[in-house]
Amino acid sequence: MEDAGKKSNSATPSCMQPSRRALLAGGGLLLTSLAAPPVFTPPAFASEQELRFKHAFGETVLPKPAKRVVSLGYTTHDPLLALGTVPVGIREWYGNLPYGVWPWAAPYLGDGKPTLISGEVSVEIVASLAPDLIVGIGSGISRAEYDLLSQIAPVLMQPEGNDAYGTSWDVVTRILGRATGKADKAEQLIAETRGAFTSARQAHPEWEGKTAVCAYHYSGETGAFIGTDTRATFLKELGFTAPEAIASLSAPDSFFARLSPEDLAPLDADLLIWISSVEKAPDIVALPMRKTLNAHWQGREVFAGPLIAGALSFGSVLSLPFALKALEDDIALAVDGSTDTPVPSSVKAGLTR
């Protein structure tokens, strides 16, 4: 598997949460102080357009809806593009794609050519883009980094009580809709995405209450995605529940749980989706204890290769409908109650018994 991991959000489980080096200590945010006066000064008086956002690091005030946005969150460029705001800067996560934009969001880029910010965040690069808003939701930046970046432009962070990578797709979309003056558009996008999940549930009422889990196997380690991770919440949106053995593993700030290679029983759900960074999965095929799972013997496995794994990892207002469209038929086949129904994605990956 790769960094089909998020923020959860490349490949090893440790990389599934975007790797953050000590950005302030040597090489990340290259400036520890600014000699010149702050570029951004909060307004002294409220205006009719003033927008206030309370978040984990305090409160951010926008004097008016933002037009030039730098997206430092690993996935926040998706909702911005969906809202019709092409960021002037995009934080690259993984995938080596033009401007860091994946296929589900590429049509919204148009002629835009945002600056791609790879690796650590550079204050110089951000400042050179002259933003009127910096999006730090899902970026993992520290309070010290937030304070430094706030000298350039207002910075939005995750709502209070949310972990760095745990803000749900609808909340992110709604916040960015307000910040860019497109609140109505945000509600429309949220309704459309929720509608796609609702339609899938209505088409498959038999899914309600069944158990399901998204799992990975990488470099000898096997585990499951849990809690607020986008892969876990994707299944919940479809009416599935986590097996009790998986639900009990959830913990604050955790998005995956390692399993003992000698006991994969927690993965034995009505539906088992393997998340991978490759199109074929010989490592999963060769996993000895997988052969003890009823999910395997009864044909209840679905395989999500690099593109769909990426869509599930992003977990955005654009990527979730993309993943749902790709997986819905295979999920239906996997849980149809017949042990002989082939599931195309599993057949292609070589997972069939």
Side-chain angles (χ1 to χ4, degrees):
M1 178 195 86
E2 66 71 36
D3 186 82
K6 179 182 194 166
K7 30 201 174 275
S8 175
N9 95 316
S10 200
T12 68
S14 63
C15 293
M16 284 174 215
Q17 177 162 340
S19 159
R20 285 189 63 250
R21 295 175 286 246
L23 297 179
L24 285 178
L29 289 170
L30 301 176
L31 301 180
T32 56
S33 63
L34 296 177
V39 177
F40 164 66
T41 302
F45 302 99
S47 69
E48 291 184 3
Q49 288 187 302
E50 181 179 275
L51 298 165
R52 291 181 173 272
F53 300 85
K54 291 185 177 180
H55 52 72
F57 290 163
E59 183 177 57
T60 291
V61 179
L62 286 177
K64 60 183 179 180
K67 301 298 181 184
R68 293 182 60 82
V69 183
V70 169
S71 177
L72 295 185
Y74 286 97
T75 65
T76 47
H77 53 282
D78 269 16
L80 286 168
L81 288 168
L83 289 163
T85 297
V86 178
V88 294
I90 287 177
R91 181 86 172 276
E92 183 177 33
W93 186 6
Y94 75 101
N96 194 30
L97 296 160
Y99 305 108
V101 177
W102 285 62
W104 51 81
Y108 298 84
L109 187 60
D111 296 328
K113 297 181 179 180
T115 295
L116 193 60
I117 302 171
S118 300
E120 313 291 10
V121 176
S122 164
V123 166
E124 291 93 338
I125 292 176
V126 174
S128 72
L129 297 173
D132 52 18
L133 173 65
I134 300 168
V135 179
I137 302 170
S139 68
I141 63 173
S142 68
R143 179 56 191 257
E145 295 164 336
Y146 166 83
D147 290 341
L148 185 55
L149 289 166
S150 293
Q151 296 184 62
I152 298 172
V155 182
L156 285 181
M157 299 301 298
Q158 68 274 8
E160 188 175 9
N162 289 22
D163 64 61
Y165 304 104
T167 308
S168 64
W169 63 270
D170 53 333
V171 172
V172 174
T173 303
R174 189 170 284 119
I175 291 172
L176 296 183
R178 281 191 61 218
T180 57
K182 300 173 182 179
D184 290 345
K185 177 66 173 177
E187 295 304 324
Q188 176 190 338
L189 290 166
I190 291 168
E192 289 173 353
T193 298
R194 290 209 179 284
F197 281 107
T198 298
S199 295
R201 290 197 306 271
Q202 291 175 343
H204 305 283
E206 69 278 9
W207 293 358
E208 190 68 31
K210 287 188 180 295
T211 58
V213 61
C214 286
Y216 67 85
H217 180 71
Y218 182 82
S219 294
E221 178 178 298
T222 309
F225 295 102
I226 60 175
T228 60
D229 179 77
T230 54
R231 286 146 290 212
T233 56
F234 172 82
L235 295 173
K236 185 177 180 181
E237 295 267 16
L238 292 175
F240 293 99
T241 61
E244 186 175 344
I246 292 296
S248 66
L249 297 174
S250 296
D253 300 328
S254 295
F255 68 92
F256 72 97
R258 299 180 179 90
L259 299 177
S260 166
E262 299 176 354
D263 182 16
L264 300 185
L267 300 182
D268 217 350
D270 295 316
L271 170 68
L272 173 55
I273 300 180
W274 290 102
I275 308 296
S276 180
S277 62
V278 294
E279 297 291 352
K280 298 282 186 179
D283 57 336
I284 298 176
V285 173
L287 188 59
M289 297 309 292
R290 170 176 165 263
K291 296 176 176 61
T292 67
L293 301 177
N294 289 325
H296 166 60
W297 288 107
Q298 295 176 8
R300 292 189 263 111
E301 293 173 299
V302 170
F303 184 77
L307 180 58
I308 305 309
L312 290 171
S313 299
F314 264 68
S316 74
V317 71
L318 292 180
S319 73
L320 288 172
F322 184 91
L324 176 57
K325 183 177 181 180
L327 291 174
E328 182 176 355
D329 289 347
D330 272 21
I331 292 174
L333 292 171
V335 298
D336 69 354
S338 171
T339 60
D340 297 323
T341 304
V343 179
S345 61
S346 289
V347 171
K348 183 178 179 181
L351 294 181
T352 52
R353 57 192 188 285

